[in-house]
């Protein structure tokens, strides 16, 4: 069934969304009991296609799919219809291998970028609210950051894989 599943999330109805890469670049949707519902995406660079869907998040009826090697975040309906790509302002540096994503209740997105070795906080329209980090072995950045979570008090934890540590950031 799966090739390389790398992300899973659940919606309030219990449905599971699994992002995977390998022979198939896609997101699959299952009922909580494991019954297959649908799949969306395939390998490619066009809208709705993926090159490593490394993170999948469900929020308010929308599936946010991080498309790591295409350096973008795509939005889909929860039944798999493509909605749009989040566009960053032309004056901002583009995303560089985004690997993980957290969508807050207020709609803000927290994105960890593996290649850029930074955390980006943005609004759903792509407006950048802030960035932290650069490729570094020190306290000013990360080395191959892989995942993040935002705690209930707003602190951000980053899995800084190459530095063999978790980094806590306080807003």
């Amino acid at each position: 069934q799966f090739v390389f599943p790398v992300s899973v999330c659940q919606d309030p109805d219990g449905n599971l969304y699994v992002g995977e890469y390998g022979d198939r670049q896609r997101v699959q949707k299952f009922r909580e009991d494991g019954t297959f519902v649908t799949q969306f995406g395939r390998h490619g660079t066009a809208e709705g296609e993926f090159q490593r869907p490394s993170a999948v998040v469900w929020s308010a009826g929308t599936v946010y799919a991080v498309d790591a090697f295409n350096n973008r975040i795509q939005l889909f309906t929860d039944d798999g219809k493509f909605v749009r790509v989040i566009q960053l302002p032309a004056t901002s540096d583009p995303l560089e291998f985004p690997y993980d994503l957290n969508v807050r209740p207020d709609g803000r997105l927290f994105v960890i970028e593996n290649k850029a070795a930074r955390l980006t906080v943005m609004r759903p329209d792509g407006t950048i609210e802030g960035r932290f980090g650069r490729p570094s072995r020190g306290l000013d950045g990360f080395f191959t950051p892989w995942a993040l979570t935002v705690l209930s008090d707003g602190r951000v934890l980053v899995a800084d894989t190459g530095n063999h540590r978790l980094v806590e950031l306080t807003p």
Side-chain angles (χ1 to χ4, degrees):
Q1 177 67 36
F2 296 116
V3 180
F4 294 112
V6 291
S7 182
V8 63
C9 70
Q10 188 173 37
D11 68 21
D13 294 329
N15 295 303
L16 300 169
Y17 301 83
V18 180
E20 68 176 302
Y21 73 99
D23 294 342
R24 298 181 182 100
Q25 307 279 330
R26 65 183 175 182
V27 175
Q28 293 190 74
K29 179 180 179 179
F30 300 90
R31 290 192 185 96
E32 196 168 24
D33 67 3
T35 304
F36 175 79
V37 176
T38 191
Q39 68 179 15
F40 49 97
R42 63 181 181 165
H43 185 264
T45 59
E47 292 180 340
E49 297 177 342
F50 298 110
Q51 290 191 79
R52 191 172 288 185
S54 62
V56 181
V57 174
W58 184 96
S59 180
T62 300
V63 176
Y64 294 75
V66 173
D67 186 7
F69 292 2
N70 285 325
N71 299 308
R72 63 188 179 188
I73 299 168
Q74 300 192 77
L75 280 59
F76 297 84
T77 62
D78 54 12
D79 60 353
K81 291 182 179 65
F82 175 79
V83 176
R84 67 182 176 93
V85 172
I86 294 178
Q87 299 294 328
L88 275 60
T91 57
S92 297
D93 287 337
L95 295 174
E96 294 183 60
F97 283 19
Y99 263 29
D100 201 9
L101 171 71
N102 186 288
V103 180
R104 304 307 301 152
D106 64 6
R108 287 182 306 148
L109 288 76
F110 287 68
V111 182
I112 198 68
E113 298 175 67
N114 185 277
K115 184 176 180 183
R118 68 183 168 210
L119 169 70
T120 295
V121 180
M122 69 176 84
R123 295 187 203 133
D125 67 0
T127 302
I128 304 291
E129 288 191 353
R131 284 183 153 155
F132 172 79
R134 63 184 189 87
S136 175
R137 295 282 188 181
L139 298 178
D140 57 343
F142 310 104
F143 192 70
T144 61
W146 208 271
L148 79 150
T149 192
V150 181
L151 303 175
S152 59
D153 64 4
R155 289 177 296 145
V156 179
L157 297 179
V158 176
D160 187 9
T161 307
N163 284 322
H164 312 282
R165 64 186 181 188
L166 289 178
V167 175
E168 177 183 320
L169 302 172
T170 304

